[in-house]
Amino acid sequence: MSLSPKNHWLALRATAIAAIPLSIWFVYSIVHISGTDYATFTTWLKQPLNAGLLILFIIITFWHASLGVHEIIEDYMHGKIKNISLKTKAIIFALLALVCVVAVFKVSQSQTQNSAGAAVETPAASNEIPAPKRRILRPQTSPDANEPTRVNND
Amino acid sequence: MASDSNRPLSPHLQVYKPQMTTIMSILHRATGAALAVGALLITWWLVAAAIGPGAYDVARNFAASPLGLFMLFGWSFCLYYHLFNGIRHLIWDTGYLFKIKNAYAAGWVVLALTAACTILTWVCAYGDKA
């Protein structure tokens, strides 16, 4: 997806402007859910607004990053290596964004974990079910249940 | 300098006295590159959540480790710097703040906002823990 210089310039600015509110929302959300457990995070991500904004944040910022790295490669690499690097870079960022969006969809679409958690998990994760299950079953409605589960318990 | 080419040479940066404007310009690109690497960590985090609780806990424990916290702190600094200095660049694109005095003043505003927001973010993240 090599853009003309003019469109590259425009896309870099457009994604930059779009990334301003999305980044502020993202940092706010990270701080909000920092240190919470899996259940709290998935509950947060199951809210359509959060999933939608996260997907938007990923597409906009990964695209912006791809455009920015494009300029760095153009400045420091020349000839054949430059072209190979630009193509590789484009594929990497597109793949990363795709993987992230699929991951967000998977988490947000999965069934509520407390009833049939094992059934909806992927086979790869099946060996990890028993230990965290206690955490999954913890009621999420209690507001103060989130706070003591912060990460410094080790 | 090797002169195996007749192409014009860039100014010799090493004879220039560092200035705030040049340092901030270099830092803008450096923080942008660091944030691009940060995209890998965001991907890890989301993929871990998609795999399941076990994988998510691995990512969470790394984020809470000294190295993880150091990286998160660096990421937050880079994000705020790139965000605020990016706005400074967007204003330049509209034709404003080009007077030397104004470019410097905006640079100081960017640095102050970066420091304030980075500190505020970590106070908010840890404030209710203490």
Side-chain angles (χ1 to χ4, degrees), chain B residues 106-129:
Chain B
W108 284 113
V109 170
V110 166
L111 292 177
L113 283 172
T114 302
C117 286
T118 305
I119 292 167
L120 188 70
T121 298
W122 285 84
V123 167
C124 286
Y126 277 90
D128 50 344
K129 273 173 85 172

Side-chain angles (χ1 to χ4, degrees), chain A residues 38 41-42 45 99-100 102-108 110 113 120-122 125, chain B residues 43-53 55-56:
Chain A
Y38 181 75
F41 173 68
T42 50
L45 197 52
V99 166
C100 282
V102 169
V104 171
F105 264 109
K106 187 173 177 296
V107 174
S108 61
S110 61
Q113 305 280 321
V120 293
E121 290 300 326
T122 56
Chain B
T43 307
W44 176 26
W45 171 55
L46 292 174
V47 167
I51 291 172
Y56 187 80

Side-chain angles (χ1 to χ4, degrees), chain B residues 66-80:
Chain B
L67 178 63
L69 286 172
F70 176 76
M71 289 170 82
L72 277 172
F73 185 84
W75 182 85
S76 65
F77 167 81
C78 289
L79 186 96
Y80 281 125

Side-chain angles (χ1 to χ4, degrees), chain A residues 76-146:
Chain A
Y76 298 113
M77 292 175 176
H78 308 284
K80 212 172 182 179
I81 296 173
K82 182 184 89 172
N83 292 331
I84 294 168
S85 303
L86 286 177
K87 285 201 179 78
T88 312
K89 179 271 308 172
I91 292 168
I92 288 172
F93 276 106
L95 270 179
L96 286 177
L98 184 69
V99 166
C100 282
V101 170
V102 169
V104 171
F105 264 109
K106 187 173 177 296
V107 174
S108 61
Q109 297 299 309
S110 61
Q111 299 298 307
T112 32
Q113 305 280 321
N114 50 6
S115 54
V120 293
E121 290 300 326
T122 56
S126 57
N127 55 337
E128 295 159 346
I129 295 295
K133 201 151 193 179
R134 276 170 284 118
R135 208 176 279 121
I136 289 167
L137 290 168
R138 186 176 296 163
Q140 291 150 21
T141 45
S142 151
D144 54 347
N146 298 338

